[in-house]
Amino acid sequence: MSASRTPGYSRLNKNHKFSIAGVAALGAAALTFSLAPDNASAEADTLSVAAAAPVAWSAAAGSAQAKTVHSSITQQQVGADKVAKAVAEARAKADAKAVAAAKAKAAADAKAKAEAKKRADERAAASRAAARKPVYANNLDGWIREAMSIMKKHNIPGSYEGIHRNIIRESSGNPRAINNWDINAINGIPSKGLLQVIKPTFDAYHIAGTKHDQYDPVANIVAACNYAADRYGSMDNVNSAY
């Protein structure tokens, strides 16, 4: 049985449908464009501004970046100057310290050299003095000669002959001689030594630098001759008990 058709109606195939849709779309687009020309112009202006905006931003950003770089360079230069100044000051201090240390060392070396020279001179002087100092024999002759060298320094008169003569008479040359029988012995102050000097006389006429001992031969001779010089003018003038 065949389908019945409505009078005046024709069937649209698939191609017909696509064609109609395409025409409708084009018509809508044309209608939209014709109805909103101002909007299209605004969109174009917006696109133009948007395109120009990055250029304007880039210029401003470049200027700010240049200022930042300049400021950074300036700060770096200031920092470098400070570092250079600090280094120069440290170097100057180090140089001054080195100079001061060198001067101190030179002064210390000079002082040490002077002290060493002084000690060397003192040793040399002591050596010369020791070489010049006579060595006296430990006997009557040596005692008299040593006593006379001391008497000369103190301006005490007396000759070898006068001293020797009185020693032989008083003690026979015995430095340990003592008189235990005369009036001095009775009074508790016996005469002692080569020239038989009592203690009060020895103490009063003792010469510094000699032993403070009545029995010491040199000290005894010097003290006795000092007393004789004061009492008689010289031991040479003594010819008996004195």
Side-chain angles (χ1 to χ4, degrees), residues 51-144:
V55 176
W57 178 85
S58 297
S63 178
Q65 185 176 11
K67 290 181 180 179
T68 301
V69 171
H70 178 73
S71 177
S72 176
I73 292 173
T74 301
Q75 291 177 355
Q76 291 177 11
Q77 183 62 45
V78 171
D81 291 343
K82 288 182 179 180
V83 171
K85 183 178 179 181
V87 170
E89 289 177 352
R91 184 173 298 168
K93 288 181 180 179
D95 291 343
K97 186 175 181 180
V99 170
K103 288 182 178 180
K105 185 177 183 303
D109 291 344
K111 183 178 180 181
K113 186 176 180 180
E115 290 178 351
K117 185 178 184 301
K118 181 180 178 181
R119 289 193 296 269
D121 291 343
E122 288 174 349
R123 288 194 297 269
S127 179
R128 289 191 298 270
R132 289 194 302 267
K133 185 178 180 179
V135 178
Y136 299 102
N138 189 27
N139 54 32
L140 182 57
D141 178 72
W143 300 332
I144 293 174

Side-chain angles (χ1 to χ4, degrees), residues 166-213:
N166 281 283
I167 287 174
I168 296 301
R169 187 189 67 251
E170 293 290 334
S171 65
S172 300
N174 178 11
R176 304 297 301 179
I178 182 172
N179 186 328
N180 289 316
W181 54 267
D182 65 2
I183 188 62
N184 292 321
I186 294 172
N187 292 332
I189 48 172
S191 301
K192 297 178 179 179
L194 290 175
L195 286 169
Q196 293 293 284
V197 183
I198 62 175
K199 185 70 164 55
T201 300
F202 179 83
D203 290 342
Y205 291 94
H206 172 261
I207 294 297
T210 62
K211 292 182 180 180
H212 205 281
D213 178 6

Side-chain angles (χ1 to χ4, degrees), residues 9-18 20:
Y9 177 82
S10 63
R11 184 180 295 274
L12 296 175
N13 60 26
K14 188 175 182 180
N15 291 332
H16 292 156
K17 292 179 180 178
F18 281 129
I20 293 170

